[in-house]
Amino acid sequence: RSPSAKVGGVFFANSTLCAAVNENHSRSKYDELIYITMKLFNHTFRAQTKVPGNIEDVFEFFSDAQNLELITPPELSFKITSPLPIKMKTGALIEYKIRLFGFSFRWKTIISKWEQNRQFIDEQLRGPYSKWIHTHTFEKNEGDVIIKDIVKYRLPFAPFGEIVLPLVKLQLKRIFDYRSKKILELID
Protein backbone atom coordinates (compact mmCIF):
# COMPACT_ATOMS: atom_id res chain seq x y z
CA ARG A 1 0.00 0.00 0.00
CA SER A 2 1.31 3.47 -0.93
CA PRO A 3 2.02 5.86 1.91
CA SER A 4 -0.35 8.79 2.20
CA ALA A 5 -0.51 12.23 3.78
CA LYS A 6 -2.97 14.92 4.61
CA VAL A 7 -1.82 18.48 3.84
CA GLY A 8 -4.02 21.50 4.41
CA GLY A 9 -7.12 19.32 4.55
CA VAL A 10 -6.19 17.52 1.28
CA PHE A 11 -5.49 13.78 1.37
CA PHE A 12 -2.66 12.51 -0.89
CA ALA A 13 -2.35 8.79 -1.59
CA ASN A 14 0.94 8.99 -3.43
CA SER A 15 4.46 8.21 -2.24
CA THR A 16 6.06 11.05 -4.26
CA LEU A 17 3.73 13.56 -2.67
CA CYS A 18 4.35 12.10 0.76
CA ALA A 19 8.10 12.39 0.28
CA ALA A 20 7.65 16.04 -0.69
CA VAL A 21 5.48 16.61 2.36
CA ASN A 22 7.96 14.91 4.70
CA GLU A 23 10.89 16.76 3.10
CA ASN A 24 9.22 20.06 3.87
CA HIS A 25 7.73 19.40 7.30
CA SER A 26 8.95 22.75 8.68
CA ARG A 27 6.83 24.72 6.20
CA SER A 28 3.25 25.76 6.84
CA LYS A 29 0.54 23.46 5.49
CA TYR A 30 -0.26 26.05 2.79
CA ASP A 31 3.41 26.32 1.77
CA GLU A 32 3.64 22.53 1.63
CA LEU A 33 0.63 22.34 -0.65
CA ILE A 34 2.06 25.02 -2.96
CA TYR A 35 5.45 23.23 -3.01
CA ILE A 36 3.84 19.90 -3.85
CA THR A 37 1.69 21.49 -6.54
CA MET A 38 4.71 23.11 -8.16
CA LYS A 39 6.68 19.83 -8.12
CA LEU A 40 3.72 17.94 -9.52
CA PHE A 41 3.24 20.27 -12.48
CA ASN A 42 6.86 20.55 -13.59
CA HIS A 43 7.52 18.87 -16.92
CA THR A 44 10.64 18.04 -18.91
CA PHE A 45 11.07 17.80 -22.67
CA ARG A 46 14.24 16.34 -24.24
CA ALA A 47 15.50 16.41 -27.81
CA GLN A 48 18.78 15.55 -29.47
CA THR A 49 20.26 16.37 -32.88
CA LYS A 50 23.45 14.97 -34.40
CA VAL A 51 25.10 17.49 -36.72
CA PRO A 52 28.17 16.91 -38.91
CA GLY A 53 30.94 19.42 -38.25
CA ASN A 54 33.05 20.84 -35.49
CA ILE A 55 31.75 22.17 -32.22
CA GLU A 56 33.06 25.71 -32.81
CA ASP A 57 31.07 26.17 -36.04
CA VAL A 58 27.91 24.60 -34.64
CA PHE A 59 28.06 26.70 -31.47
CA GLU A 60 28.73 29.83 -33.56
CA PHE A 61 25.46 29.19 -35.42
CA PHE A 62 23.63 29.29 -32.08
CA SER A 63 25.58 32.37 -31.00
CA ASP A 64 23.62 34.39 -33.57
CA ALA A 65 20.16 34.99 -32.07
CA GLN A 66 18.77 35.77 -35.54
CA ASN A 67 19.17 32.09 -36.43
CA LEU A 68 16.31 31.36 -34.01
CA GLU A 69 13.93 32.73 -36.64
CA LEU A 70 15.39 30.34 -39.23
CA ILE A 71 14.92 27.22 -37.11
CA THR A 72 11.42 27.98 -35.79
CA PRO A 73 8.36 26.69 -37.69
CA PRO A 74 6.84 29.51 -39.80
CA GLU A 75 3.33 29.12 -38.36
CA LEU A 76 4.67 30.27 -34.98
CA SER A 77 5.38 33.72 -36.50
CA PHE A 78 8.54 33.98 -34.41
CA LYS A 79 10.01 37.48 -34.55
CA ILE A 80 12.81 38.94 -32.43
CA THR A 81 11.80 42.40 -31.19
CA SER A 82 15.03 43.22 -29.32
CA PRO A 83 17.51 45.47 -31.16
CA LEU A 84 19.87 43.37 -33.30
CA PRO A 85 22.52 42.10 -33.22
CA ILE A 86 22.35 40.60 -29.75
CA LYS A 87 25.65 39.79 -28.07
CA MET A 88 25.04 36.33 -26.67
CA LYS A 89 26.51 36.04 -23.18
CA THR A 90 25.38 35.47 -19.60
CA GLY A 91 22.82 38.15 -18.83
CA ALA A 92 21.81 38.84 -22.45
CA LEU A 93 18.10 39.59 -22.84
CA ILE A 94 16.08 38.54 -25.88
CA GLU A 95 12.54 39.73 -26.50
CA TYR A 96 10.35 38.31 -29.22
CA LYS A 97 6.81 37.64 -30.33
CA ILE A 98 5.48 34.19 -31.00
CA ARG A 99 2.13 32.68 -31.89
CA LEU A 100 1.05 29.53 -30.03
CA PHE A 101 -2.29 27.78 -30.48
CA GLY A 102 -3.66 30.85 -32.26
CA PHE A 103 -2.65 33.34 -29.55
CA SER A 104 0.12 35.94 -29.84
CA PHE A 105 2.55 36.21 -26.94
CA ARG A 106 5.41 38.48 -26.05
CA TRP A 107 8.27 36.41 -24.70
CA LYS A 108 11.33 37.65 -22.86
CA THR A 109 14.25 35.40 -22.00
CA ILE A 110 17.57 35.85 -20.30
CA ILE A 111 20.69 33.87 -21.05
CA SER A 112 21.35 32.68 -17.50
CA LYS A 113 24.45 30.67 -18.38
CA TRP A 114 26.87 30.90 -21.31
CA GLU A 115 29.81 28.52 -21.69
CA GLN A 116 31.41 29.03 -25.11
CA ASN A 117 31.35 25.87 -27.28
CA ARG A 118 29.76 23.85 -24.49
CA GLN A 119 26.40 25.01 -23.15
CA PHE A 120 23.97 27.84 -22.68
CA ILE A 121 20.69 28.21 -20.80
CA ASP A 122 17.82 30.53 -21.63
CA GLU A 123 15.12 31.19 -19.04
CA GLN A 124 11.76 32.78 -19.64
CA LEU A 125 11.25 36.02 -17.71
CA ARG A 126 7.88 36.75 -19.33
CA GLY A 127 5.86 34.56 -21.65
CA PRO A 128 3.24 31.87 -22.04
CA TYR A 129 4.66 29.41 -19.50
CA SER A 130 4.79 29.64 -15.71
CA LYS A 131 8.34 28.32 -16.02
CA TRP A 132 10.62 27.72 -19.03
CA ILE A 133 14.27 26.79 -18.61
CA HIS A 134 15.94 25.58 -21.81
CA THR A 135 19.40 24.04 -21.54
CA HIS A 136 21.34 23.66 -24.81
CA THR A 137 24.37 21.37 -24.56
CA PHE A 138 26.96 20.71 -27.30
CA GLU A 139 29.15 17.60 -27.25
CA LYS A 140 31.82 16.34 -29.67
CA ASN A 141 31.18 12.87 -31.05
CA GLU A 142 33.52 11.35 -33.67
CA GLY A 143 33.57 14.31 -36.07
CA ASP A 144 29.98 15.26 -35.33
CA VAL A 145 28.33 17.41 -32.71
CA ILE A 146 25.47 16.22 -30.53
CA ILE A 147 23.11 19.05 -29.60
CA LYS A 148 21.04 18.18 -26.54
CA ASP A 149 18.02 20.24 -25.56
CA ILE A 150 16.43 19.88 -22.16
CA VAL A 151 13.42 22.08 -21.46
CA LYS A 152 12.00 22.22 -17.93
CA TYR A 153 8.62 23.89 -18.04
CA ARG A 154 5.40 24.43 -16.14
CA LEU A 155 2.10 25.34 -17.73
CA PRO A 156 0.15 28.36 -16.48
CA PHE A 157 -3.01 28.15 -14.36
CA ALA A 158 -2.09 24.90 -12.59
CA PRO A 159 -3.81 22.57 -12.09
CA PHE A 160 -6.31 23.62 -14.78
CA GLY A 161 -3.61 24.32 -17.37
CA GLU A 162 -2.66 20.63 -17.25
CA ILE A 163 -5.65 19.82 -19.44
CA VAL A 164 -3.67 21.10 -22.46
CA LEU A 165 -0.48 19.18 -21.55
CA PRO A 166 -0.94 16.52 -24.27
CA LEU A 167 -1.27 19.28 -26.90
CA VAL A 168 1.76 21.12 -25.54
CA LYS A 169 3.86 17.94 -25.61
CA LEU A 170 2.87 17.30 -29.23
CA GLN A 171 3.61 20.91 -30.15
CA LEU A 172 7.04 20.81 -28.50
CA LYS A 173 7.91 17.59 -30.31
CA ARG A 174 6.82 19.10 -33.61
CA ILE A 175 8.77 22.32 -33.00
CA PHE A 176 11.95 20.46 -32.07
CA ASP A 177 11.59 18.00 -34.98
CA TYR A 178 11.33 20.98 -37.35
CA ARG A 179 14.23 22.66 -35.62
CA SER A 180 16.40 19.55 -35.96
CA LYS A 181 15.64 19.30 -39.67
CA LYS A 182 16.40 23.01 -40.26
CA ILE A 183 19.64 22.87 -38.25
CA LEU A 184 20.85 19.98 -40.40
CA GLU A 185 19.95 21.90 -43.58
CA LEU A 186 21.54 25.16 -42.49
CA ILE A 187 24.73 23.83 -40.88
CA ASP A 188 25.46 21.04 -43.36
Side-chain angles (χ1 to χ4, degrees):
R1 183 165 180 239
S2 295
S4 58
K6 189 173 181 185
V7 179
V10 178
F11 181 78
F12 295 101
N14 178 300
S15 58
T16 304
L17 294 176
C18 288
V21 169
N22 293 333
E23 173 184 313
N24 297 292
H25 66 301
S26 64
R27 296 182 181 160
S28 74
K29 297 294 184 193
Y30 177 77
D31 288 343
E32 288 176 9
L33 188 57
I34 295 298
Y35 176 80
I36 291 166
T37 301
M38 292 304 107
K39 275 187 89 161
L40 233 161
F41 300 121
N42 283 327
H43 305 287
T44 302
F45 176 84
R46 297 174 194 277
Q48 185 170 302
T49 305
K50 185 177 181 180
V51 181
N54 65 59
I55 204 160
E56 293 80 11
D57 291 340
V58 173
F59 198 87
E60 185 178 328
F61 177 83
F62 283 87
S63 297
D64 183 348
Q66 289 174 274
N67 286 331
L68 277 170
E69 291 181 9
L70 300 175
I71 62 173
T72 303
E75 67 272 13
L76 296 181
S77 302
F78 181 92
K79 179 76 177 141
I80 295 174
T81 58
S82 297
L84 298 170
I86 298 169
K87 171 77 172 134
M88 296 294 275
K89 61 181 181 177
T90 300
L93 296 172
I94 307 170
E95 295 188 53
Y96 43 93
K97 290 181 189 175
I98 194 165
R99 193 162 180 80
L100 290 169
F101 302 109
F103 297 97
S104 288
F105 294 95
R106 290 188 166 289
W107 200 326
K108 182 177 186 177
T109 58
I110 186 168
I111 303 300
S112 60
K113 183 176 187 179
W114 184 265
E115 292 181 43
Q116 189 70 32
N117 298 329
R118 186 161 175 264
Q119 179 185 72
F120 68 96
I121 300 172
D122 63 85
E123 295 188 42
Q124 174 191 286
L125 298 176
R126 180 183 70 231
Y129 293 88
S130 290
K131 174 176 116 177
W132 176 275
I133 302 170
H134 183 179
T135 302
H136 312 249
T137 305
F138 302 79
E139 298 174 0
K140 293 179 186 179
N141 181 29
E142 301 175 6
D144 295 323
V145 178
I146 306 282
I147 304 167
K148 293 181 180 178
D149 293 283
I150 300 173
V151 179
K152 294 183 182 280
Y153 65 98
R154 186 172 33 235
L155 299 175
F157 313 116
F160 309 107
E162 293 299 299
I163 198 162
V164 297
L165 181 61
L167 291 174
V168 171
K169 285 181 173 182
L170 285 172
Q171 176 78 330
L172 286 173
K173 181 174 179 351
R174 210 181 66 58
I175 289 169
F176 278 84
D177 285 349
Y178 179 90
R179 179 184 175 118
S180 184
K181 182 179 151 215
K182 291 304 281 186
I183 289 167
L184 285 167
E185 285 174 16
L186 295 166
I187 292 180
D188 195 23

mmCIF file of all heavy atoms in Angstrom, residues 48-63:
data_model
loop_
_atom_site.group_PDB
_atom_site.id
_atom_site.type_symbol
_atom_site.label_atom_id
_atom_site.label_comp_id
_atom_site.label_asym_id
_atom_site.label_seq_id
_atom_site.Cartn_x
_atom_site.Cartn_y
_atom_site.Cartn_z
ATOM 1 N N GLN A 48 17.365 15.693 -29.146
ATOM 2 C CA GLN A 48 18.781 15.552 -29.472
ATOM 3 C C GLN A 48 18.939 15.583 -30.981
ATOM 4 O O GLN A 48 18.150 14.985 -31.708
ATOM 5 C CB GLN A 48 19.291 14.232 -28.894
ATOM 6 C CG GLN A 48 20.765 14.003 -29.055
ATOM 7 C CD GLN A 48 21.232 12.806 -28.238
ATOM 8 O OE1 GLN A 48 21.056 12.764 -27.031
ATOM 9 N NE2 GLN A 48 21.821 11.835 -28.911
ATOM 10 N N THR A 49 19.969 16.294 -31.444
ATOM 11 C CA THR A 49 20.262 16.370 -32.876
ATOM 12 C C THR A 49 21.746 16.120 -33.085
ATOM 13 O O THR A 49 22.575 16.718 -32.396
ATOM 14 C CB THR A 49 19.911 17.775 -33.438
ATOM 15 O OG1 THR A 49 18.549 18.065 -33.124
ATOM 16 C CG2 THR A 49 20.120 17.840 -34.941
ATOM 17 N N LYS A 50 22.052 15.251 -34.034
ATOM 18 C CA LYS A 50 23.446 14.971 -34.395
ATOM 19 C C LYS A 50 23.752 15.737 -35.678
ATOM 20 O O LYS A 50 23.069 15.564 -36.691
ATOM 21 C CB LYS A 50 23.635 13.469 -34.597
ATOM 22 C CG LYS A 50 25.058 13.049 -34.860
ATOM 23 C CD LYS A 50 25.126 11.527 -34.969
ATOM 24 C CE LYS A 50 26.526 11.048 -35.198
ATOM 25 N NZ LYS A 50 26.570 9.578 -35.290
ATOM 26 N N VAL A 51 24.766 16.612 -35.600
ATOM 27 C CA VAL A 51 25.102 17.489 -36.723
ATOM 28 C C VAL A 51 26.542 17.227 -37.153
ATOM 29 O O VAL A 51 27.439 17.193 -36.302
ATOM 30 C CB VAL A 51 24.968 18.975 -36.294
ATOM 31 C CG1 VAL A 51 25.283 19.903 -37.435
ATOM 32 C CG2 VAL A 51 23.588 19.252 -35.744
ATOM 33 N N PRO A 52 26.783 17.060 -38.468
ATOM 34 C CA PRO A 52 28.171 16.915 -38.909
ATOM 35 C C PRO A 52 28.902 18.246 -38.748
ATOM 36 O O PRO A 52 28.311 19.311 -38.924
ATOM 37 C CB PRO A 52 28.047 16.525 -40.388
ATOM 38 C CG PRO A 52 26.686 16.961 -40.790
ATOM 39 C CD PRO A 52 25.833 16.985 -39.573
ATOM 40 N N GLY A 53 30.162 18.193 -38.368
ATOM 41 C CA GLY A 53 30.944 19.422 -38.251
ATOM 42 C C GLY A 53 31.671 19.502 -36.936
ATOM 43 O O GLY A 53 31.652 18.582 -36.130
ATOM 44 N N ASN A 54 32.320 20.652 -36.743
ATOM 45 C CA ASN A 54 33.052 20.838 -35.491
ATOM 46 C C ASN A 54 32.232 21.694 -34.534
ATOM 47 O O ASN A 54 31.364 22.463 -34.944
ATOM 48 C CB ASN A 54 34.454 21.422 -35.742
ATOM 49 C CG ASN A 54 34.402 22.824 -36.308
ATOM 50 O OD1 ASN A 54 33.844 23.725 -35.682
ATOM 51 N ND2 ASN A 54 34.979 23.023 -37.485
ATOM 52 N N ILE A 55 32.545 21.545 -33.271
ATOM 53 C CA ILE A 55 31.748 22.175 -32.225
ATOM 54 C C ILE A 55 31.798 23.705 -32.303
ATOM 55 O O ILE A 55 30.810 24.380 -32.022
ATOM 56 C CB ILE A 55 32.161 21.635 -30.835
ATOM 57 C CG1 ILE A 55 31.017 21.786 -29.845
ATOM 58 C CG2 ILE A 55 33.447 22.266 -30.342
ATOM 59 C CD1 ILE A 55 31.135 20.889 -28.636
ATOM 60 N N GLU A 56 32.920 24.255 -32.726
ATOM 61 C CA GLU A 56 33.060 25.708 -32.813
ATOM 62 C C GLU A 56 32.090 26.299 -33.832
ATOM 63 O O GLU A 56 31.426 27.306 -33.570
ATOM 64 C CB GLU A 56 34.504 26.103 -33.157
ATOM 65 C CG GLU A 56 35.519 25.802 -32.069
ATOM 66 C CD GLU A 56 35.973 24.344 -32.022
ATOM 67 O OE1 GLU A 56 35.673 23.556 -32.963
ATOM 68 O OE2 GLU A 56 36.619 23.974 -31.016
ATOM 69 N N ASP A 57 31.981 25.669 -35.001
ATOM 70 C CA ASP A 57 31.073 26.168 -36.040
ATOM 71 C C ASP A 57 29.607 25.998 -35.643
ATOM 72 O O ASP A 57 28.783 26.874 -35.887
ATOM 73 C CB ASP A 57 31.328 25.460 -37.379
ATOM 74 C CG ASP A 57 32.673 25.835 -37.986
ATOM 75 O OD1 ASP A 57 33.235 26.887 -37.599
ATOM 76 O OD2 ASP A 57 33.160 25.068 -38.842
ATOM 77 N N VAL A 58 29.297 24.864 -35.048
ATOM 78 C CA VAL A 58 27.910 24.601 -34.639
ATOM 79 C C VAL A 58 27.505 25.582 -33.535
ATOM 80 O O VAL A 58 26.432 26.185 -33.589
ATOM 81 C CB VAL A 58 27.730 23.135 -34.184
ATOM 82 C CG1 VAL A 58 26.339 22.909 -33.602
ATOM 83 C CG2 VAL A 58 27.985 22.188 -35.360
ATOM 84 N N PHE A 59 28.384 25.776 -32.565
ATOM 85 C CA PHE A 59 28.064 26.702 -31.473
ATOM 86 C C PHE A 59 27.951 28.133 -32.000
ATOM 87 O O PHE A 59 27.090 28.896 -31.549
ATOM 88 C CB PHE A 59 29.112 26.622 -30.360
ATOM 89 C CG PHE A 59 28.646 27.206 -29.062
ATOM 90 C CD1 PHE A 59 27.955 26.439 -28.144
ATOM 91 C CD2 PHE A 59 28.882 28.546 -28.757
ATOM 92 C CE1 PHE A 59 27.504 26.979 -26.948
ATOM 93 C CE2 PHE A 59 28.444 29.091 -27.564
ATOM 94 C CZ PHE A 59 27.754 28.304 -26.654
ATOM 95 N N GLU A 60 28.787 28.484 -32.961
ATOM 96 C CA GLU A 60 28.733 29.828 -33.556
ATOM 97 C C GLU A 60 27.365 30.087 -34.197
ATOM 98 O O GLU A 60 26.824 31.189 -34.116
ATOM 99 C CB GLU A 60 29.841 29.998 -34.595
ATOM 100 C CG GLU A 60 29.908 31.394 -35.163
ATOM 101 C CD GLU A 60 31.047 31.567 -36.147
ATOM 102 O OE1 GLU A 60 32.095 30.919 -35.978
ATOM 103 O OE2 GLU A 60 30.874 32.351 -37.108
ATOM 104 N N PHE A 61 26.794 29.060 -34.837
ATOM 105 C CA PHE A 61 25.463 29.185 -35.422
ATOM 106 C C PHE A 61 24.455 29.590 -34.349
ATOM 107 O O PHE A 61 23.609 30.458 -34.554
ATOM 108 C CB PHE A 61 25.055 27.855 -36.079
ATOM 109 C CG PHE A 61 23.671 27.861 -36.653
ATOM 110 C CD1 PHE A 61 23.424 28.375 -37.912
ATOM 111 C CD2 PHE A 61 22.599 27.354 -35.925
ATOM 112 C CE1 PHE A 61 22.139 28.384 -38.449
ATOM 113 C CE2 PHE A 61 21.314 27.356 -36.450
ATOM 114 C CZ PHE A 61 21.086 27.873 -37.712
ATOM 115 N N PHE A 62 24.553 28.978 -33.173
ATOM 116 C CA PHE A 62 23.625 29.289 -32.075
ATOM 117 C C PHE A 62 23.969 30.601 -31.376
ATOM 118 O O PHE A 62 23.165 31.137 -30.635
ATOM 119 C CB PHE A 62 23.589 28.136 -31.064
ATOM 120 C CG PHE A 62 22.776 26.980 -31.550
ATOM 121 C CD1 PHE A 62 23.347 26.001 -32.339
ATOM 122 C CD2 PHE A 62 21.436 26.884 -31.238
ATOM 123 C CE1 PHE A 62 22.595 24.941 -32.812
ATOM 124 C CE2 PHE A 62 20.669 25.825 -31.711
ATOM 125 C CZ PHE A 62 21.253 24.856 -32.503
ATOM 126 N N SER A 63 25.168 31.104 -31.598
ATOM 127 C CA SER A 63 25.577 32.374 -31.002
ATOM 128 C C SER A 63 24.941 33.570 -31.698
ATOM 129 O O SER A 63 25.023 34.689 -31.208
ATOM 130 C CB SER A 63 27.103 32.513 -31.057
ATOM 131 O OG SER A 63 27.704 31.504 -30.280
#
